[in-house]
Amino acid sequence: MGPTQRRPVEPGDTKDVDVFVSHVSDDAPWATWVAAVLEQRGLSARVLAWDLPPGVNYVLWTDAQMAAARLTMVISSAAYFDTPWSSQVWTGALVSRSVIPLRVEACPLPGMLATIAHVDLFDADETEARRRVLVAAGVETVARVATRGFPTDRSTVGIEPTTFPGAPPPSEVGSSATEVGSSAAEVGSPTAEVGSPTAEVGASPTDTPPVSADAPPSRSSGADAARLRRRLPRAGLALLTTRALMVTVGVAIVVAGAVAGLLMIRGNSDGVPSARMVSDLRVAVTAFDEVDDAGQRHPSASTTDAATLVADQMVRSLQPVQQSLAVQVWGPSKIGRAPSGRGDQAGWADQIVHRSNANIVVRGVLRPAGADRVVFTPEFFIDRSLVPGAEELAGYYQFGTPVAAPAGLADNPVFQREIRTVLAARAGALAWFVLGVGHYALGHYDEAAADLRKAAGMPGWQDADGKEILYLFLGNAADKKGRYDEAIGWFGKATGINPRFGRAHTGAAEARFHLSRGQCTTDTVKVTDLRQSIDVYLLAAGEVAPPYERLTRSKIDLGLGRVYACLSQAAVSADWDAARRHFRLAIDEGTGDPAGRTVQSEAWVGLALVELPPRGVADPAAYRRAVDAYRNAVALADGSTRSAQLLSLLGHVQYISGDRAGAQKSFDQAAQLDPTNRARYLAEFANLSSPAPSAPAPQA
């Protein structure tokens, strides 16, 4: 399909369109293909990849396009539903009953979207996919004819494999080819290691990943053969002798094995796996390396052996808890070496995460420390996908105190034994820490705290050995459960180890704010503690560190805005301008990713509170600013429950400002987004019609 000529969309252009195509950046090829199909048949379509003008607020633009479109098509994939803002798109379209999910991979549809008839594109060739899109758009109709052949004639249902946009990459296609029946074809293939003693010479049995409930079922050779089989003329079958058929199958097996082997060899040419991990918690332990004075990495048998020891010890520590959380630990025999050509941190973990789908990576590096010493430093990396909404917790951390020795002793058996002893002791603590982080990522904060406390109590990881990250997660877990005093204590232990640990100071300021805010009224706030939280926020602002400076600054400004707004609302001070300034900064510093949009949403909520006029004061312009702020907050909110809460606040403000119809619409949308609290939202609107409705009292 050739490119289509498109008219540039102006920033304010919200003329009615036929279809709005919602997608994430990973699915832009699918979205633009769907838009082109529709436009070639005379429909008008809007798609972010083509039509979003530079400098325009993405959220407001999306909201305008959905309002103008007759139909919203959602390019549905795991990546799409992993973004919190996506729920706002499809739930908004669902309210007006004008959404059609187009699945571009076999992913489950969340919530109420699962009740809507969807269209699958990933299992069709381009011609069939085009027809399905046009049928969904109402341009074509389904042909009302019987399918070819009697329903039990399974030989008529095969399809030809294609390279259409959703086809699997070569590294995954090759894995099914090895299943035809040749064990020799599996030699060297990481995807064939489980249960195959000849698949990987020297592989440690503990490198075999535990069976995960989330692992995709393997395709059987019979199913693949039935899928790819074409019907042959009956006369032609008589020409195939048994011997010729056996030769043909044998040649096919050999070719398939060779191709699969080549694909796997190419996939591992940089020492990184072509297979991907699939569990809830995915730990990759790379082969440890030595780094010379020039910064070049060199493989070392002794350090690789140490890495295997760490992986084995972690597997042994985690085996008893496999029932509560699906965990995989892959050692260096599967992961290989870190792909970066230098000894620095830049990019090495990101590449392993991308290729293996790990969310925690462990490595160790032996570096020179001056002219007469060498230092072995174990490190680990937490990927941002493991801490959604708190990506500033991701990054590189030291795994205990480095082990030092005189130069020239790196290959000394005594030094190697010391490294093994230290790492064996620390690996158990790291295993429980990893498990705690995994439970934290799933929102199981009590389980996370229990695991993290076990890690804290194990030998081998002393407070002075980079343990502040452990206390940081303990503080966050307590904060999530509303145990603010406990959280402040853990954050204090973290800053006691590292006095310039900005994230711990930020957490302590947040916990202190929640502990002392009360209802933001004169008789409930703890003024001294609130002012102290301002000091701690300002301290954290001077300690912001990469790689998530903007996100951290945005959270700090959101916190400062809330404190100033709470003090002003309680009539303790008149800091409305300071609150407004920090809320604006939090919005402007937004990173555009899910975590950044969540912070921006809450900053808009705070700004709406600031803009509301005093009770009893008629100020239409102020009400309009508050309404606009709440609308922005709804558009950026994380999840349908939070969106419903914000729609309720929006409805209150609309009603008080005289927009009764707008208020009713907001409460109706809240009731549809959050069916569990539907009765409550409808009752709130009904109560507003009572003789003495009161203005909302949103909290900062």
Side-chain angles (χ1 to χ4, degrees):
M1 177 181 296
T4 60
Q5 298 297 320
R6 299 181 55 83
R7 170 186 59 82
V9 177
E10 298 299 326
D13 190 349
T14 56
K15 295 179 181 178
D16 289 348
V17 295
D18 293 307
V19 181
F20 173 62
V21 183
S22 176
H23 69 95
V24 294
S25 57
D26 288 350
D27 299 326
W30 277 109
T32 53
W33 180 84
V34 168
V37 167
L38 297 172
E39 292 189 341
Q40 286 186 348
R41 290 299 297 267
L43 296 180
S44 57
R46 291 284 166 79
V47 57
L48 180 146
W50 282 345
D51 296 324
L52 178 65
V56 171
N57 184 297
Y58 159 75
V59 175
L60 297 180
W61 182 85
T62 298
D63 185 63
Q65 304 312 312
M66 287 179 56
R70 172 180 61 85
L71 176 67
T72 296
M73 288 185 168
V74 173
I75 304 298
S76 302
S77 65
Y80 184 88
F81 296 119
D82 280 345
T83 56
W85 59 263
S86 67
S87 63
Q88 307 313 309
V89 176
W90 65 259
T91 51
L94 193 60
V95 169
S96 59
R97 297 179 176 85
S98 61
V99 60
I100 296 180
L102 304 180
R103 293 202 309 167
V104 298
E105 62 183 52
C107 63
L109 300 177
M112 295 179 64
L113 199 62
T115 66
I116 303 298
H118 62 271
V119 176
D120 287 344
L121 303 182
F122 63 89
D123 61 349
D125 60 19
E126 186 170 1
T127 301
E128 173 60 16
R130 182 186 297 109
R131 187 192 68 81
R132 293 179 185 180
V133 169
L134 294 175
V135 168
V139 177
E140 292 187 1
T141 57
V142 178
R144 301 176 65 84
V145 296
T147 56
R148 180 166 57 93
F150 187 62
T152 58
D153 184 3
R154 299 304 178 97
S155 65
T156 67
V157 299
I159 62 171
E160 184 74 7
T162 73
T163 58
F164 192 48
S171 61
E172 296 178 14
V173 174
S175 62
S176 63
T178 63
E179 296 173 4
V180 178
S182 169
S183 60
E186 297 176 359
V187 176
S189 169
T191 60
E193 289 173 355
V194 178
S196 175
T198 64
E200 186 177 35
V201 178
S204 168
T206 55
D207 283 334
T208 301
V211 177
S212 166
D214 293 335
S218 60
R219 288 182 287 175
S220 66
S221 57
D224 282 342
R227 184 182 300 276
L228 303 177
R229 185 170 58 232
R230 285 191 171 277
R231 300 189 69 189
L232 295 175
R234 295 184 181 274
L237 289 176
L239 300 177
L240 293 175
T241 64
T242 303
R243 183 182 300 274
L245 183 59
M246 292 176 63
V247 171
T248 302
V249 172
V251 170
I253 291 174
V254 172
V255 171
V259 170
L262 287 173
L263 287 171
M264 294 303 141
I265 291 172
R266 290 190 63 185
N268 285 283
S269 62
D270 57 0
V272 183
S274 57
R276 291 174 65 80
M277 308 172 85
V278 295
S279 295
D280 299 322
L281 193 58
R282 306 176 293 278
V283 184
V285 182
T286 72
F288 296 170
D289 284 312
E290 297 182 18
V291 178
D292 59 25
D293 292 329
Q296 295 295 322
R297 294 189 303 113
H298 302 285
S300 165
S302 60
T303 51
T304 298
D305 179 61
T308 302
L309 171 70
V310 169
D312 292 350
Q313 185 65 38
M314 291 188 69
V315 169
R316 282 192 289 270
S317 299
L318 292 171
Q319 283 294 351
V321 295
Q322 287 289 305
Q323 297 296 325
S324 64
L325 188 68
V327 184
Q328 283 178 293
V329 179
W330 283 9
S333 60
K334 286 187 175 68
I335 298 300
R337 296 166 56 203
S340 174
R342 299 187 62 82
D344 57 17
Q345 295 175 339
W348 67 266
D350 289 330
Q351 295 183 53
I352 290 177
V353 168
H354 178 70
R355 293 288 298 275
S356 70
N357 201 34
N359 44 32
I360 291 184
V361 184
V362 181
R363 79 161 182 177
V365 180
L366 186 69
R367 296 183 175 91
D372 58 352
R373 295 190 68 77
V374 292
V375 174
F376 179 77
T377 306
E379 304 166 338
F380 65 91
F381 170 83
I382 300 176
D383 185 60
R384 62 185 301 172
S385 64
L386 195 56
V387 282
E391 278 83 347
E392 71 276 15
L393 299 179
Y396 302 87
Y397 296 96
Q398 183 174 305
F399 175 32
T401 302
V403 182
L409 288 183
D411 294 324
N412 187 297
V414 176
F415 179 60
Q416 294 173 11
R417 187 163 54 249
E418 181 181 357
I419 291 177
R420 290 176 59 88
T421 301
V422 170
L423 289 180
R426 295 178 186 175
L430 180 62
W432 283 107
F433 172 77
V434 164
L435 196 64
V437 174
H439 277 128
Y440 183 92
L442 294 175
H444 305 161
Y445 301 118
D446 286 332
E447 292 90 337
D451 296 335
L452 293 169
R453 286 194 186 96
K454 289 179 181 177
M458 295 191 72
W461 197 0
Q462 304 303 317
D463 278 2
D465 300 342
K467 206 171 179 179
E468 61 266 31
I469 179 62
L470 171 61
Y471 296 135
L472 175 65
F473 272 97
L474 276 166
N476 276 285
D479 184 89
K480 292 290 188 180
K481 296 297 291 185
R483 300 192 296 266
Y484 300 121
D485 279 322
E486 179 187 339
I488 291 171
W490 289 119
F491 290 133
K493 287 181 72 72
T495 55
I497 298 171
N498 180 359
R500 293 191 57 79
F501 196 7
R503 186 60 190 92
H505 279 133
T506 303
E510 291 173 356
R512 193 170 297 279
F513 166 70
H514 288 297
L515 193 62
S516 56
R517 62 180 292 185
Q519 300 299 315
C520 291
T521 58
T522 306
D523 57 336
T524 61
V525 298
K526 299 177 181 178
V527 178
T528 302
D529 288 340
L530 276 179
R531 294 196 184 281
Q532 187 175 358
S533 69
I534 293 176
D535 295 336
V536 181
Y537 271 127
L538 294 175
L539 179 64
E543 301 166 343
V544 175
Y548 300 111
E549 298 98 325
R550 286 187 62 186
L551 177 60
T552 305
R553 291 189 186 282
S554 183
K555 287 191 172 184
I556 291 172
D557 279 310
L558 171 63
L560 285 167
R562 284 173 165 173
V563 177
Y564 285 124
C566 186
L567 288 170
S568 302
Q569 191 175 11
V572 174
S573 64
D575 290 317
W576 292 113
D577 287 341
R580 182 182 290 106
R581 181 175 69 256
H582 284 289
F583 286 138
R584 284 288 183 188
L585 285 171
I587 293 167
D588 294 341
E589 291 161 344
T591 55
D593 59 7
R597 287 191 292 269
T598 299
V599 176
Q600 287 176 307
S601 176
E602 296 306 317
W604 280 114
V605 174
L607 198 59
L609 170 69
V610 172
E611 298 296 351
L612 279 175
R615 185 171 300 181
V617 175
D619 188 344
Y623 277 118
R624 283 195 298 271
R625 291 194 297 270
V627 166
D628 289 342
Y630 273 126
R631 282 175 173 161
N632 288 337
V634 171
L636 288 161
D638 180 9
S640 57
T641 300
R642 183 55 175 160
S643 296
Q645 294 169 350
L646 298 180
L647 282 166
S648 170
L649 293 176
L650 171 61
H652 276 278
V653 175
Q654 288 172 316
Y655 193 95
I656 298 303
S657 65
D659 183 7
R660 308 298 197 263
Q664 182 172 7
K665 181 179 179 182
S666 294
F667 279 106
D668 287 345
Q669 288 180 336
Q672 293 188 48
L673 286 178
D674 188 4
T676 303
N677 294 301
R678 174 183 175 83
R680 191 192 84 188
Y681 290 126
L682 296 180
E684 282 185 26
F685 178 72
N687 291 338
L688 286 176
S689 302
S690 63
S694 59
Q699 300 297 310

